Amino acid sequence: QEQFVESGGGSVQPGGSLRLSCKASRMITSVFNPSLMAWYRQAPGKERELVATINAERATYYADSVKGRFTISRDNSRKTVYLQMSSLKPEDTAFYYCNALSSSTQPKYNWGQGTQVTVPS
């Protein structure tokens, strides 16, 4: 059974916006709340790459490729992490996944199904 359930993907024209959600359905609150959470993406034929992270204090990190366009946030009461994506580009096309990171910033859990984002060129 998956630790994370991602949703909110779809097909959107360049310049459009999407909001992804990741619910940590099996993670108890006392584990979720202090966790460093991350969004990753994997484009066809490419390796999975880190997109953004958010820690317990809501400090954030963004990959250069999405900085200024994507915003990561979290709602601890819902055990959910969000990724607001704006000014989408064809190169943002990928499956998007979330995970919690270890102290060495490695993914801690098995990957979920992900949610597909398509931005046609």
Side-chain angles (χ1 to χ4, degrees):
Q1 198 169 1
E2 295 157 349
Q3 189 73 248
F4 305 106
V5 179
E6 299 93 348
S7 62
S11 182
V12 60
Q13 291 298 310
S17 299
L18 281 174
R19 187 196 195 204
L20 306 184
S21 299
C22 165
K23 185 166 178 65
S25 55
R26 296 182 62 209
M27 193 179 290
I28 60 176
T29 301
S30 61
V31 172
F32 179 83
N33 287 0
S35 291
L36 174 63
M37 298 298 298
W39 280 98
Y40 286 77
R41 67 185 180 187
Q42 187 167 21
K46 295 188 177 181
E47 294 187 356
R48 203 182 321 248
E49 64 173 353
L50 180 65
V51 174
T53 67
I54 184 167
N55 69 8
E57 291 74 34
R58 291 175 166 75
T60 57
Y61 159 84
Y62 297 95
D64 287 343
S65 58
V66 306
K67 201 172 293 183
R69 300 188 298 120
F70 290 11
T71 302
I72 188 171
S73 60
R74 65 192 296 162
D75 183 342
N76 288 348
S77 67
R78 297 176 186 270
K79 296 188 295 182
T80 299
V81 182
Y82 302 99
L83 187 68
Q84 177 67 48
M85 307 187 296
S86 303
S87 302
L88 282 162
K89 305 175 180 179
E91 50 263 45
D92 296 318
T93 295
F95 270 91
Y96 284 71
Y97 305 87
C98 69
N99 213 316
L101 302 185
S102 67
S103 57
S104 59
T105 66
Q106 294 299 307
K108 291 179 67 174
Y109 300 99
N110 292 333
W111 297 102
Q113 296 294 315
T115 186
Q116 186 171 13
V117 173
T118 302
V119 187
S121 55

